[in-house]
Amino acid sequence: MTSIFAKESTRFEIKERIESGAYAILPVGACEQHGPHLPVGTDVFLAEYVSEKIAEKVNAVIFPSVNFGYSWVWKDLPGTLTLSQATFNRLIVELVESLIGQGFRKILIVNGHDSNSKALRYATRDIHDKYPDIQVLVIFYPNMNVLYPKYMESEKWYGMFHAEEWETSLMLSAHEELVHMDRAVREYPEKPDLYGLDASSLSEISKSGIYGDATVATKEKGDRIIEELINYVVSILKRN
């Protein structure tokens, strides 16, 4: 059964999907700076792309994306819009409760923004306490611990990545027309002694807004990562 987009469908078509046991897929991203070469909607574009690729292989209804997340570390830079953790948490809970209320029993949240992860974890725990029989899954580049060393030439910045080889390669796969590789740079800024202990902002540390090496990104790497990532997720969904 071919998956459908909720915003293009009637309520009756969506009802048929609910009755067929379809997944409700909710892409979630952010609106924040991604260096001089990637658009501020990168996290949303990637969440949508992954959602659509998953939906090609499972029965699903893809709902409109959540375009805003927790982006405090870039909040003072042009193009960045952020929600508080509490507001984002409440937004997700209420959206999922809406899906549950109309009959969905399986919900997949596809997250494209790492800083959303904690709020999503707590939101899904709150939902589980209230609706223990509903399956709510959250993915953020699952199996990344295998895929990153397999395909990436560059290292992360103290375990963190942003607008570097990984995200740039994925964007070249998903929306090559929006990537300006001639502006891509490599930056591994010095880590302040108090980073992670105080409220230091990433925007105060990096000059380019990149953490890692975007210059070695390629579409071929992105294509391979996407293919393996999707196959991994779909295998899990079909077993459960």
Side-chain angles (χ1 to χ4, degrees):
M1 182 179 286
T2 304
S3 297
I4 61 174
F5 290 91
K7 64 184 177 183
E8 299 173 358
S9 307
T10 67
R11 65 181 239 208
F12 300 101
E13 292 166 328
I14 294 173
K15 184 175 184 291
E16 288 179 359
R17 292 312 179 99
I18 294 172
E19 293 172 349
S20 72
Y23 273 93
I25 298 182
L26 182 64
V28 177
C31 181
E32 65 172 30
Q33 81 81 30
H34 272 76
H37 68 300
L38 294 178
V40 297
T42 289
D43 293 339
V44 177
F45 285 127
L46 293 179
E48 290 173 340
Y49 189 67
V50 169
S51 296
E52 291 173 23
K53 289 294 183 181
I54 292 171
E56 290 176 1
K57 299 188 176 186
V58 299
N59 178 21
V61 180
I62 304 176
F63 280 83
S65 307
V66 177
N67 279 254
F68 310 104
Y70 181 68
S71 299
W72 181 88
V73 296
W74 305 113
K75 63 184 176 64
D76 296 323
L77 297 184
T80 300
L81 298 175
T82 187
L83 302 174
S84 68
Q85 288 264 5
T87 298
F88 179 72
N89 176 290
R90 193 64 224 159
L91 174 64
I92 296 300
V93 169
E94 293 188 6
L95 290 176
V96 172
E97 286 187 328
S98 293
L99 294 171
I100 293 171
Q102 58 193 262
F104 281 102
R105 309 292 293 177
K106 298 185 295 185
I107 299 161
L108 176 65
I109 299 173
V110 179
N111 179 31
H113 179 52
D114 193 19
S115 292
N116 289 341
S117 297
K118 285 186 179 179
L120 286 170
R121 185 184 307 123
Y122 301 141
T124 53
R125 288 174 181 175
D126 291 342
I127 293 163
H128 175 75
D129 285 345
K130 191 172 181 180
Y131 307 95
D133 297 329
I134 302 298
Q135 183 188 77
V136 181
L137 306 176
V138 179
I139 62 169
F140 174 72
Y141 300 132
N143 215 26
M144 185 180 185
N145 62 322
V146 173
L147 297 176
Y148 202 101
K150 183 175 181 179
Y151 292 112
M152 299 295 97
E153 299 175 40
S154 59
E155 298 293 328
K156 295 180 182 179
W157 182 80
Y158 296 99
M160 198 203 82
F161 65 97
H162 186 74
E164 41 44 273
E165 184 181 7
W166 175 272
E167 287 193 312
T168 304
S169 294
L170 293 181
M171 275 298 290
L172 285 169
S173 178
H175 289 284
E176 187 174 13
E177 75 281 3
L178 298 178
V179 181
H180 305 278
M181 284 303 294
D182 57 317
R183 305 177 194 168
V185 299
R186 176 186 187 277
E187 185 178 2
Y188 288 88
E190 184 177 349
K191 182 182 177 183
D193 291 339
L194 295 179
Y195 179 74
L197 302 176
D198 63 3
S200 297
S201 173
L202 291 175
S203 61
E204 299 169 351
I205 302 170
S206 169
K207 294 179 180 179
S208 66
I210 295 173
Y211 283 85
D213 189 353
T215 66
V216 293
T218 68
K219 182 179 185 301
E220 290 71 24
K221 293 174 186 174
D223 291 343
R224 294 192 188 108
I225 291 168
I226 290 292
E227 181 180 6
E228 290 199 33
L229 189 154
I230 298 307
N231 289 338
Y232 179 80
V233 172
V234 170
S235 69
I236 292 173
L237 297 183
K238 289 187 174 180
R239 290 199 304 268
N240 296 274

